[in-house]
């Protein structure tokens, strides 16, 4: 089997869903940070705009596993704004750890270091291994601010 050594940008995520069942992903240090944002009404569903958002059952977040019906143009536009905002948020609030991502993500997951938001690069193989260990990672949203 050929191992894919190409590294892709990844972050730790929580899966979220709103009260209408739309699923999306949020980037938080930990549960407390989620609760704080949720209680402050800062979490908004990117599909319908409701603030009634809670943590969804965890699902593997590597792309390609969640084939859904085709989104409308409006949904695509909202998603693009959401992704761009998310990327900015990550770049401003998370520590860039580069190719050390898998190691750092494990240390955080197993409590060997203080909880913090990180982003960096990992191969698909490494991302899969992390997910199998219960570390939730996802591709960093692409920078779409120029695309329209
Ligand atoms: Zn929704």
């Amino acid at each position: 089997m050929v191992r894919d050594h190409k590294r892709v940008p990844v972050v730790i995520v929580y899966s979220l869903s709103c009260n209408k069942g739309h699923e999306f992903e949020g980037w938080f240090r930990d549960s407390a940070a989620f609760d704080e944002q949720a209680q402050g009404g800062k979490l908004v569903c990117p599909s319908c705009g409701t603030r009634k958002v809670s943590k969804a059952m965890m699902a593997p977040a590597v792309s390609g596993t969640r084939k859904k019906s085709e989104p409308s143009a409006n949904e695509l536009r909202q998603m693009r704004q959401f992704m761009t905002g998310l990327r900015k948020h990550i770049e401003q609030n998370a520590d860039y750890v580069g190719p050390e991502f898998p190691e750092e993500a494990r240390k955080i997951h197993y409590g060997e270091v203080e909880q913090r938001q990180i982003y960096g690069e990992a191969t698909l193989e490494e991302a899969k291994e992390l997910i199998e260990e219960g570390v939730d990672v996802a591709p960093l949203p692409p920078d779409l601010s120029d695309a329209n």
Side-chain angles (χ1 to χ4, degrees), residues 18-22 45-50:
C18 78
N19 64 341
K20 289 176 188 152
H22 302 125
C45 172
S47 298
C48 68
T50 182

Side-chain angles (χ1 to χ4, degrees), residues 96-113:
Y96 179 72
V97 296
E100 304 298 313
F101 181 87
E103 201 183 320
E104 286 300 312
R106 275 197 184 87
K107 282 187 195 160
I108 292 167
H109 182 69
Y110 293 113
E112 293 169 24
V113 296

Side-chain angles (χ1 to χ4, degrees), residues 22-126:
H22 302 125
E23 284 183 33
F24 58 103
E25 286 155 357
W27 275 253
F28 308 100
R29 288 195 303 285
D30 50 33
S31 300
F34 168 83
D35 291 341
E36 196 184 302
Q37 289 202 33
Q39 280 162 16
K42 288 177 189 155
L43 290 173
V44 179
C45 172
S47 298
C48 68
T50 182
R51 291 174 195 275
K52 295 192 171 87
V53 169
S54 59
K55 268 181 268 192
M57 291 298 290
M58 212 53 222
V62 165
S63 60
T65 57
R66 289 195 194 165
K67 196 68 189 154
K68 285 190 186 152
S69 56
E70 288 295 307
S72 70
N74 194 39
E75 281 172 343
L76 280 176
R77 190 174 50 76
Q78 287 183 345
M79 188 56 74
R80 198 153 57 208
Q81 286 172 353
F82 179 71
M83 289 303 228
T84 301
L86 207 50
R87 187 186 173 92
K88 281 200 188 112
H89 176 83
I90 292 163
E91 287 173 348
Q92 284 165 9
N93 294 284
D95 288 337
Y96 179 72
V97 296
E100 304 298 313
F101 181 87
E103 201 183 320
E104 286 300 312
R106 275 197 184 87
K107 282 187 195 160
I108 292 167
H109 182 69
Y110 293 113
E112 293 169 24
V113 296
E114 212 175 308
Q115 290 271 351
R116 72 189 206 277
Q117 282 185 301
I118 60 170
Y119 73 108
E121 281 104 43
T123 64
L124 277 182
E125 193 80 20
E126 287 167 338

